[in-house]
Amino acid sequence: MSEVEETLERIKVQPGVEGYVICDMEGQVLRRFPTMSQETAEIYAEAMRHLALKARGVVRDVNPKGELKYMRIRAKRHEVLVAFGEE
Amino acid sequence: MSEVEETLERIKVQPGVEGYVICDMEGQVLRRFPTMSQETAEIYAEAMRHLALKARGVVRDVNPKGELKYMRIRAKRHEVLVAFGEE
């Protein structure tokens, strides 16, 4: 099993996890949680793409050498964790 | 001591904390870490204001009833935690 598959398996069994999406920086969905629809995955991918671009800019505003690694957005009932791969 | 003062004291003594800024949704600095310059506080307040507005929109795109509570942005050497008060 590849490292990606192992990581996805570990994420899947975490209590409270409702889904995951792997996408590229253009918001193209590459992988999604088995029970998540393509449409939902695209909504999350597009939303996080916009936020990620903004967050990367903000990190650089504050520290030009800064590199965005991780983002966590907590709403009342849900939380989205965004991890960034190498560019 | 008020609840705000107590909270700030607790934050100050947390290992690794380099500063804090309290600002309103317009990015106006209301309080800042004693050794942080007003200029630095304003940079963070303005940067986080933009990101917070974007994040709030993203949360609502994904779930119209969603309400942004907390945001965590991890860069290589720094991390910014943003907590939102009641509107």
Side-chain angles (χ1 to χ4, degrees):
Chain A
M1 192 184 272
S2 76
E3 198 189 327
V4 169
E5 300 301 331
E6 276 172 31
T7 306
L8 292 179
E9 284 308 313
R10 270 206 320 271
I11 290 171
K12 249 192 237 173
V13 299
Q14 285 295 318
V17 166
E18 294 183 8
Y20 58 71
V21 175
I22 300 179
C23 67
D24 61 23
M25 276 310 278
E26 274 69 52
Q28 205 69 32
V29 174
L30 307 175
R31 289 285 292 272
R32 58 187 158 90
F33 196 74
T35 57
M36 181 187 276
S37 71
Q38 178 68 16
E39 194 204 342
T40 301
E42 283 171 2
I43 289 170
Y44 274 98
E46 191 56 19
M48 291 308 134
R49 183 173 83 88
H50 284 291
L51 193 55
L53 290 172
K54 189 80 189 176
R56 205 197 303 180
V58 159
V59 164
R60 293 233 169 101
D61 288 349
V62 172
N63 170 10
K65 278 184 254 145
E67 194 192 318
L68 185 60
K69 287 282 174 197
Y70 183 82
M71 210 165 51
R72 187 175 198 144
I73 300 109
R74 167 98 209 142
K76 233 189 234 170
R77 266 183 233 96
H78 290 94
E79 187 164 37
V80 178
L81 284 65
V82 185
F84 297 86
E86 299 307 315
E87 282 175 47
Chain B
M1 194 185 271
S2 76
E3 197 187 327
V4 170
E5 300 302 332
E6 277 172 30
T7 306
L8 293 178
E9 285 307 313
R10 270 205 321 269
I11 290 171
K12 251 190 231 173
V13 298
Q14 286 294 319
V17 166
E18 294 185 7
Y20 58 70
V21 174
I22 299 179
C23 67
D24 62 22
M25 275 312 276
E26 275 67 52
Q28 204 70 31
V29 174
L30 307 174
R31 287 285 291 272
R32 60 186 154 88
F33 196 75
T35 55
M36 180 186 277
S37 70
Q38 177 69 16
E39 194 202 345
T40 302
E42 284 171 2
I43 290 170
Y44 274 96
E46 191 56 17
M48 292 308 135
R49 183 172 84 86
H50 284 291
L51 194 55
L53 290 172
K54 190 79 191 177
R56 204 196 304 179
V58 159
V59 164
R60 294 234 169 102
D61 289 347
V62 171
N63 171 10
K65 277 185 256 146
E67 193 192 318
L68 185 60
K69 288 283 177 196
Y70 182 82
M71 208 166 54
R72 188 174 198 143
I73 300 108
R74 169 95 206 142
K76 230 189 237 171
R77 269 185 228 96
H78 289 94
E79 187 165 39
V80 179
L81 284 67
V82 185
F84 297 86
E86 298 307 315
E87 281 175 47

